[in-house]
Amino acid sequence: MILQKPLDREEYPRLSLKLIAVDGGTPQRSVVKAQDGGSPPLSSNVTVTILIQDQNDNAPQVLYPVQTGGSLVAEMVPRSADVGYLVTKVVAVDVDSGQNAWLSYKIQKATDRALFEVGLQNGEIRTIRQVTDKDVVKQRLTVVVEDNGQPSRSATVNVNVAVADSFPEVLSETTDSRKSDCKFGQNILIMDPSYTGTMQRIQSEKNILDEPDSPLEFALLTVFFGMAFRKPPLHNCAAWGLFCRLQRLVYLLIFLLLCVYTSDGQIRYSIPEEMKKGSLIGNVAQDLGLDLKRLRSGRARIVTEESIQYTELKTDKGILVVNERIDREQLCGDVTPCSFTFEILLENPMELHYITIEILDVNDNVPTFQNSHLQFDISESVALGSRFGLESADDTDVGQNGLQNYILTPNDNFVLKQHANPDGSKYAEMVLQKPLDREKQPRLSLKLLAVDGGTPQRSGTVNIDITVLDANDNAPVFNQSVYKATVIENTAKGTNIITVNATDADSGSNGQISYSFSKMKGGITDIFTINESNGTISVSDQHFDREITQEYNITITATDSGSPPLSSSITLQIKISDVNDNAPLFDKITYSAYVTENNSPGISIFTVNARDSDWNQNARISYLLEETQISDINGVAVSSFVSVNSENGVIHAVRSFDYEQIKGFEFNVTARDGGSPPLSSVATIKILIQDQNDNAPQVLYPVQTGGSLVAEMVPRSADVGYLVTKVVAVDVDSGQNAWLSYKLQKATDRALFEVGLQNGEIRTIRQVTDKDVVKQRLTVVVEDNGQPSRSATVNVNVAVADSFPEVLSEFTDFTHDKEYNDNLTFYLVLALAVVSFLFITCLVVIISVKIYRWRQSRVLYHSSLPVIPYYPPRYSDTLGTGTLQHVYNYEVCRTTDSRKSDCKFGGAGSQNILIMDPSYTGTMQRIQSEKNILDEPDSPLEGIFSTTAAGQFF
C-alpha cells in the first residue's frame, strides 16, 4: 500500500480496508477471500485496519478572552483584593489528542510580575500578594498557552486588568487633560451597573489601555446624550419647542462641565536610588505639553500622601528634581518594582496630572551572614550523599543586585548544592561526596562565600569548622534515595524489573552486602522476588491488574556482613502502566427521559454517563450518536432531533418537539474509550414527549360563518329540559389538557337556558312563555383543563317561535324604539342650533366689517390726506392638506316605511360604512360591513344613516 494523500487524524482517526484478489480473465473475477483447490477447499480473507497516530500539527486556540482588533475586555480588580483573588481565567483548547492536547499556561510578560500569577494547568490568573494603593491602575499581562507536543506549539493572549475600586478611578487614569478642545470622539464605554465583573469598552480602532490619551470624557458625553435624551416622535420640533430648548441647554451644561474638569495626564520616570539632592528627574512641563507660564499661573504644586516629599517641582524651569535621599530598600523593602506616585495640581482651570517615580536598585548592600562561624560534628560513618544545611545569607538589594550564588572553598569531601525556596530566596547545602576518615583528617576548615550579581560584584563570607567523629564501620549506601520503575500489567513471568545497588566503604566481609525485602504487606512476596546478591527484582507467578492495584511501594534493605551488621533501606516505587482491557460501562442499558413539547432548541434533555476502569487515554470516553432513522416520522434521521456532546454525554434537543406530531422516539449512544484498539459499549435512550397545553379547543358545531345565520328554533310549548342544541368541541392535546368544560358566558335571557358542564348540551331551565323574545343569543365558553387553561367561545342564535314565518318577520324587523328616535331628534336639533349660531355669527361679523369700512372711507373722504390705494395680499388655497386628498360625496338613504327596511342605497355606498373619529388625526379608514345582523343587535341601521347624514351636513 502506497500513501498518495496525506492523512489527517482529526478528520479520519481510523481506516478499515478489505483486500480483494482479482484474476486477469474475461470476464474478470474477484474474491474477497483466498481459497485453495483442495477437498474440502480452505480459504482465508484479510481486513486491513489502519490507526492514524496523532501528530502535533495544531496550535492551541484561545477561546477567552476574545481578541479583536478594535474592542477591549478589561478585568477589574479591587484594591482590597487578597492574595489568591481570581482575576479571570484563560480558556484554550487544542484539537490534537493525547499529550499533544495537554495545555500549560505561563506569563510571558506583565506590567507587574510580582502581582499576578497564572495557574500552570488551569489558566486561572490570581493575585500573589496583597493589592496596594501603589499599584498602577493599568496592568497588562501576556499569557502563553503551550501544548505538550514535540515540538510544542503555542498561542499568546493579552489580558488587560484595571486595578481600581470604582469606575471613576478608571476614568481618571484613562482620560487626557491636555485635549481641552472637547472634540467628540467615536469611543463608547458600555457600563452595566448590575455586573461587577468585566468592564467592556467598544471603540472604533484603539484599545483604552493601549491609548491612554483617548478623549474618554467625550465618549461618555456621546453615550449620555444618546441614552438620556431621545428624539421626540415628531417630524419637526415646533410643537415641542420648550422641550427642545431645555434639551439643548442640558447638552451645553454637560459639555462645559466635561471641558472644565478633564484631567488625566500621567508620566512615569525611572531613576536610580541614592541620587543626590537636586538631581534632575525629568522635564515635567515638556512631557505634559505645558508651558512655564501655565505652571506659574496655575500655581502648580505637588500633592502627595507620603510623609516625606522626595521630589520638588521647579516651576520656573518646569523640571522635577530630587528633594530628599531615596533609599529603595527603606522605601519598598523587597517589593519590585519599587515606585511611588504623586499628583501635580494646577488651578484656573483645575488640572490633575499623575506622576509615577520608579526607583531602580543600585548595588549598595553586601550579602551578610548572621553568624561569622559555623561548627559541625560529623561521624565518619555518615552515608555518602548526606546533606548538611548551611546558614543563608541576606542581601537587601533586589534583582540582579541581590544574592545570586554560593561558593564553597575547594575540598575533597563536600560539594555544595544550591536550592531556591518558593519565595525565590536561595539556600545552600553541603553534600558528602567522599567518606570521612577521622584517622587521616580529624578536622576540616572551609569557607562559604555569598556573592551578588551587581557591578562591581559584592560578597560576604562565613567560616565552617568540621569535626570528624570516629566509628567502627560504614553502613551500605544506595546510589539512589528512591528507585522508580514502570511495568505494564500484562508482563510475563520472570521479567526483570529493576536492579538496586548499594555500596559499603568498608572492605572484606564488612563490605559484603545482601539485599532483602522488609515491611512486606498484602502478600507482595508472592508477586516479586529479589536476588540477594545483586539486587535484581523480577516478577513471580502472578500477573498484575492495574484496576486492582496501581502502584507498589516496596522497602528494600541492604545489610553488610560486619559485626554488628549495619544496614540501610530505600523505597522502590513500582507503577503499573495501563493496558486497554476494560470497555466503558453505562449505569443502565436503557435510559428514559421526559421532555415537554415546545421546548427551546438546544436545551439539555438528559445526560448519559459511562465509566472506564482503565487509566489516562484508555479511560478517556467519547460519546457518539448512532445515526438511525425514526420510523414514526417517515424515516427522519435521529440527528435532526437530538445531538450528544462527545465529552460529557449531555443530550441536547436540536429542534422543538410537538407532542401532536410525535409522542416519543429512541436511539442508541455509543461510549468509546481512547485506547488502541478502542473499546466501546452501547446504551439505548428513550425520549418521551410530554404534552403541553398549547392548543385551544376547536368548536365543531355550531359552525361560525361570517355572513350567514344559523339559528336553533325552540317552540313556545317547549318544556323544562328541552334540548335546544349541543355545542361540540374537541382539543388536540391529550390528558387533562383535553378535558373540556362548557359554561354560559352571556345570554339574552339567562333564566331561560343552561349549558351542560361536561357535554355542552343547551337546554331550557323553565317553561317557555309568550313573553319571551323571539331572538335569543347565547355565548358559550369552551375551556380545557390545562395549566394555564385555554378556551374558545361560540355564539348560538336561538329563535323562540312556533313557525318559520314568525321567525322571518322578527328577523327582518328594524323597530325604531323611542330611545333611538330621541337620540336622533337631539342630534338634529343640536346640528340646527350650531348652524344657526354660525350663520348669525358670520352675519354679525360681515355687518361689522361693512360698518367699519364705511366709517373709514368717510374719515378719509373728509380729510385732506392723500389716498393710498390698498391692495390685499394674494392668498393661495391649498387643498388636500389633511389626510383625505379627495372630495367624497355620499348619498342619503331613508326608509320608505317606519316598520320596514326597504332602504335604497346609492351606487357609491353599497355595503360600505364610513367610520369617522373626530379625535383621530391619522388616515381615515373605510371598513366594509360583513357582520351578521344578529351579531350586532345593538347597532341599528338608522344609526349608520344618522352618522352619514351628520357627516354630509357638517
Side-chain angles (χ1 to χ4, degrees):
M1 290 192 300
I2 300 174
L3 184 66
Q4 63 178 2
K5 183 180 178 181
L7 300 174
D8 189 355
R9 190 204 65 82
E10 286 73 26
E11 184 177 3
Y12 297 105
R14 180 175 180 177
L15 298 174
S16 295
L17 309 176
K18 225 169 227 189
L19 185 61
I20 300 177
V22 297
D23 61 16
T26 303
Q28 192 179 51
R29 298 181 181 276
S30 63
V31 293
V32 178
K33 61 182 179 180
Q35 179 173 303
D36 62 16
S39 180
L42 301 177
S43 63
S44 64
N45 55 16
V46 61
T47 299
V48 181
T49 301
I50 300 175
L51 301 178
I52 312 301
Q53 294 181 340
D54 183 59
Q55 192 177 30
N56 191 27
D57 56 344
N58 294 281
Q61 298 178 358
V62 178
L63 303 181
Y64 184 84
V66 180
Q67 301 292 292
T68 59
S71 66
L72 164 68
V73 178
E75 309 293 336
M76 182 174 286
V77 177
R79 294 193 180 273
S80 59
D82 258 335
V83 177
Y85 177 88
L86 178 60
V87 179
T88 186
K89 182 174 182 179
V90 178
V91 182
V93 294
D94 195 325
V95 296
D96 292 326
S97 66
Q99 66 177 8
N100 294 331
W102 297 351
L103 301 181
S104 60
Y105 303 80
K106 300 176 183 177
I107 292 182
Q108 187 181 47
K109 58 182 180 179
T111 306
D112 188 354
R113 280 186 173 271
L115 183 56
F116 301 100
E117 68 177 0
V118 63
L120 182 64
Q121 304 296 333
N122 54 20
E124 293 181 350
I125 298 177
R126 296 180 179 271
T127 58
I128 57 177
R129 63 170 174 82
Q130 179 73 39
V131 179
T132 65
D133 294 335
K134 296 181 180 179
D135 294 323
V136 296
V137 175
K138 296 183 295 183
Q139 300 281 343
R140 186 182 183 92
L141 311 177
T142 301
V143 178
V144 177
V145 185
E146 188 177 25
D147 60 24
N148 200 32
Q150 293 296 330
S152 63
R153 293 176 176 267
S154 62
T156 60
V157 60
N158 292 323
V159 181
N160 296 296
V161 180
V163 180
D165 289 325
S166 63
F167 181 70
E169 186 177 354
V170 179
L171 287 183
S172 66
E173 189 67 19
T174 56
T175 54
D176 186 3
S177 62
R178 287 173 293 167
K179 298 186 178 180
S180 59
D181 54 350
C182 296
K183 295 182 180 178
F184 287 84
Q186 297 180 356
N187 303 329
I188 300 174
L189 181 65
I190 299 177
M191 299 174 58
D192 187 358
S194 63
Y195 182 63
T196 59
T198 304
M199 178 177 65
Q200 297 183 352
R201 176 185 175 190
I202 303 171
Q203 68 180 53
S204 58
E205 295 178 357
K206 295 289 183 179
N207 195 319
I208 188 170
L209 293 180
D210 294 340
E211 292 293 330
D213 296 333
S214 60
L216 185 59
E217 58 271 27
F218 308 126
L220 283 176
L221 183 62
T222 305
V223 176
F224 181 81
F225 289 168
M227 297 183 63
F229 298 94
R230 298 181 181 272
K231 185 177 181 180
L234 299 172
H235 292 293
N236 74 48
C237 218
W240 289 70
L242 178 59
F243 174 82
C244 292
R245 288 191 291 272
L246 290 175
Q247 183 179 6
R248 296 189 189 101
L249 180 59
V250 173
Y251 285 176
L252 180 59
L253 289 176
I254 296 176
F255 179 83
L256 293 176
L257 286 175
L258 289 177
C259 287
V260 172
Y261 291 103
T262 55
S263 62
D264 80 353
Q266 180 173 356
I267 305 176
R268 188 180 185 91
Y269 296 105
S270 297
I271 62 173
E273 64 175 332
E274 304 293 345
M275 290 182 65
K276 294 182 180 179
K277 184 176 180 179
S279 299
L280 176 65
I281 297 176
N283 193 325
V284 175
Q286 180 180 350
D287 295 337
L288 289 177
L290 303 173
D291 56 10
L292 300 180
K293 293 181 180 179
R294 174 67 181 119
L295 291 179
R296 290 190 293 270
S297 63
R299 294 193 296 177
R301 60 185 180 273
I302 293 177
V303 179
T304 180
E305 297 179 359
E306 301 290 338
S307 60
I308 302 175
Q309 186 169 334
Y310 293 103
T311 59
E312 180 183 4
L313 177 62
K314 301 289 187 180
T315 55
D316 55 341
K317 298 180 180 179
I319 61 175
L320 195 66
V321 298
V322 176
N323 186 46
E324 293 289 341
R325 171 181 174 271
I326 302 176
D327 187 355
R328 197 208 65 81
E329 290 75 23
Q330 180 181 358
L331 181 64
C332 299
D334 57 352
V335 176
T336 57
C338 177
S339 63
F340 62 92
T341 302
F342 56 88
E343 295 81 25
I344 293 181
L345 181 65
L346 288 87
E347 300 177 356
N348 299 321
M350 182 178 294
E351 293 182 33
L352 192 63
H353 302 278
Y354 293 88
I355 310 297
T356 300
I357 306 296
E358 181 181 0
I359 309 303
L360 304 178
D361 184 59
V362 175
N363 190 22
D364 57 345
N365 294 282
V366 178
T368 57
F369 291 92
Q370 185 175 1
N371 300 309
S372 61
H373 180 82
L374 298 178
Q375 177 66 41
F376 290 92
D377 295 331
I378 304 175
S379 173
E380 65 172 346
S381 61
V382 69
L384 293 176
S386 298
R387 299 173 181 265
F388 303 91
L390 301 175
E391 179 183 333
S392 298
D394 183 32
D395 192 338
T396 56
D397 291 329
V398 295
Q400 191 65 25
N401 296 328
L403 179 63
Q404 298 295 322
N405 195 18
Y406 290 95
I407 300 174
L408 185 66
T409 54
N411 66 94
D412 296 330
N413 300 97
F414 294 93
V415 294
L416 191 68
K417 294 291 185 182
Q418 300 187 49
H419 306 280
N421 291 312
D423 61 355
S425 60
K426 296 179 174 61
Y427 68 96
E429 293 178 335
M430 287 193 311
V431 181
L432 184 63
Q433 68 173 358
K434 183 179 179 180
L436 296 174
D437 191 350
R438 193 196 64 85
E439 286 73 20
K440 292 183 178 181
Q441 193 175 9
R443 287 183 176 273
L444 292 175
S445 294
L446 306 175
K447 275 191 178 181
L448 179 66
L449 281 77
V451 296
D452 61 21
T455 302
Q457 194 176 56
R458 296 175 179 269
S459 63
T461 60
V462 62
N463 296 320
I464 302 174
D465 292 334
I466 301 174
T467 300
V468 181
L469 304 178
D470 185 50
N472 293 328
D473 51 11
N474 296 281
V477 178
F478 287 93
N479 57 2
Q480 293 180 223
S481 58
V482 177
Y483 286 85
K484 296 180 180 180
T486 302
V487 182
I488 59 175
E489 58 181 335
N490 58 357
T491 300
K493 174 185 176 182
T495 302
N496 293 335
I497 299 175
I498 195 174
T499 299
V500 296
N501 184 31
T503 58
D504 196 322
D506 297 331
S507 60
S509 61
N510 293 331
Q512 295 178 358
I513 300 173
S514 61
Y515 302 90
S516 62
F517 293 138
S518 62
K519 301 178 183 179
M520 303 296 284
K521 296 180 181 179
I524 295 182
T525 54
D526 298 332
I527 303 175
F528 302 98
T529 59
I530 187 170
N531 190 310
E532 294 183 358
S533 60
N534 59 18
T536 300
I537 300 170
S538 58
V539 180
S540 62
D541 296 337
Q542 296 188 9
H543 290 283
F544 300 111
D545 190 353
R546 195 205 65 84
E547 286 69 36
I548 298 176
T549 305
Q550 302 178 4
E551 182 178 298
Y552 295 90
N553 290 318
I554 304 171
T555 302
I556 300 175
T557 302
T559 306
D560 62 19
S561 301
S563 179
L566 298 178
S567 62
S568 60
S569 301
I570 53 96
T571 299
L572 171 62
Q573 296 179 356
I574 300 178
K575 292 186 178 181
I576 310 302
S577 63
D578 185 59
V579 174
N580 192 26
D581 55 350
N582 295 278
L585 295 177
F586 286 95
D587 298 332
K588 300 178 182 179
I589 299 177
T590 302
Y591 295 87
S592 296
Y594 296 88
V595 59
T596 305
E597 67 172 338
N598 301 318
N599 58 288
S600 300
I603 191 175
S604 173
I605 300 176
F606 190 71
T607 301
V608 294
N609 185 30
R611 298 187 305 272
D612 195 329
S613 55
D614 291 326
W615 183 74
N616 203 2
Q617 186 67 23
N618 296 329
R620 186 168 296 173
I621 299 175
S622 299
Y623 299 90
L624 306 173
L625 176 66
E626 289 189 8
E627 189 62 45
T628 57
Q629 280 73 36
I630 301 177
S631 58
D632 295 341
I633 314 181
N634 301 325
V636 178
V638 71
S639 60
S640 63
F641 284 84
V642 294
S643 64
V644 178
N645 190 305
S646 61
E647 296 182 359
N648 53 27
V650 177
I651 300 174
H652 297 274
V654 176
R655 63 169 65 176
S656 180
F657 300 125
D658 189 356
Y659 176 82
E660 285 71 31
Q661 292 183 359
I662 181 172
K663 303 297 187 294
F665 58 95
E666 65 180 41
F667 55 91
N668 294 334
V669 174
T670 300
R672 181 180 298 166
D673 61 23
S676 179
L679 302 178
S680 61
S681 60
V682 179
T684 301
I685 291 86
K686 295 181 179 179
I687 303 297
L688 302 176
I689 312 300
Q690 292 181 334
D691 182 56
Q692 193 178 36
N693 191 26
D694 58 342
N695 294 280
Q698 298 178 1
V699 179
L700 303 180
Y701 184 84
V703 180
Q704 301 293 293
T705 59
S708 64
L709 170 66
V710 178
E712 306 293 339
M713 184 176 291
V714 177
R716 295 189 179 274
S717 59
D719 253 341
V720 177
Y722 178 85
L723 178 61
V724 178
T725 186
K726 183 176 182 179
V727 177
V728 181
V730 295
D731 196 327
V732 296
D733 293 326
S734 66
Q736 66 177 7
N737 295 331
W739 298 351
L740 301 180
S741 59
Y742 303 81
K743 297 178 183 178
L744 187 61
Q745 188 180 43
K746 61 181 179 177
T748 305
D749 188 354
R750 281 187 173 273
L752 184 57
F753 301 99
E754 69 176 359
V755 62
L757 182 64
Q758 304 298 334
N759 54 19
E761 293 180 353
I762 300 176
R763 296 179 180 272
T764 59
I765 56 177
R766 63 172 175 81
Q767 180 71 40
V768 180
T769 65
D770 294 335
K771 295 181 179 180
D772 295 323
V773 297
V774 175
K775 294 185 293 183
Q776 298 281 343
R777 184 187 179 93
L778 311 178
T779 301
V780 178
V781 177
V782 184
E783 189 177 29
D784 60 24
N785 199 34
Q787 292 296 330
S789 62
R790 293 176 176 268
S791 63
T793 60
V794 59
N795 294 321
V796 180
N797 297 299
V798 179
V800 180
D802 291 324
S803 62
F804 182 75
E806 182 181 356
V807 176
L808 184 61
S809 65
E810 186 68 18
F811 273 72
T812 58
D813 185 10
F814 290 84
T815 304
H816 297 264
D817 54 7
K818 184 178 182 303
E819 181 183 357
Y820 173 76
N821 291 331
D822 293 342
N823 292 336
L824 180 60
T825 302
F826 171 75
Y827 288 123
L828 290 176
V829 171
L830 179 64
L832 182 59
V834 172
V835 171
S836 300
F837 173 76
L838 293 176
F839 175 74
I840 294 172
T841 302
C842 292
L843 189 60
V844 171
V845 170
I846 292 172
I847 293 173
S848 301
V849 171
K850 289 290 186 182
I851 294 174
Y852 176 77
R853 288 183 178 179
W854 178 79
R855 293 185 63 184
Q856 289 294 109
S857 64
R858 296 291 296 173
V859 171
L860 294 175
Y861 177 75
H862 292 287
S863 66
S864 61
L865 296 175
V867 178
I868 301 174
Y870 170 74
Y871 298 96
R874 295 179 181 270
Y875 292 94
S876 61
D877 187 10
T878 57
L879 296 177
T881 58
T883 56
L884 291 176
Q885 299 294 328
H886 303 282
V887 178
Y888 294 90
N889 295 323
Y890 301 94
E891 293 185 3
V892 178
C893 54
R894 296 179 177 85
T895 60
T896 58
D897 185 76
S898 62
R899 298 279 302 173
K900 302 298 181 181
S901 60
D902 301 331
C903 299
K904 294 181 180 180
F905 295 92
S910 186
Q911 296 181 356
N912 299 332
I913 301 171
L914 183 64
I915 299 177
M916 301 176 62
D917 187 357
S919 63
Y920 182 69
T921 60
T923 303
M924 185 176 297
Q925 299 180 353
R926 195 174 71 179
I927 302 174
Q928 184 173 358
S929 173
E930 295 181 354
K931 296 200 172 181
N932 197 320
I933 191 171
L934 287 180
D935 294 341
E936 297 294 337
D938 298 329
S939 59
L941 187 60
E942 53 268 31
I944 301 172
F945 160 70
S946 64
T947 305
T948 307
Q952 186 74 12
F953 186 81
F954 290 100

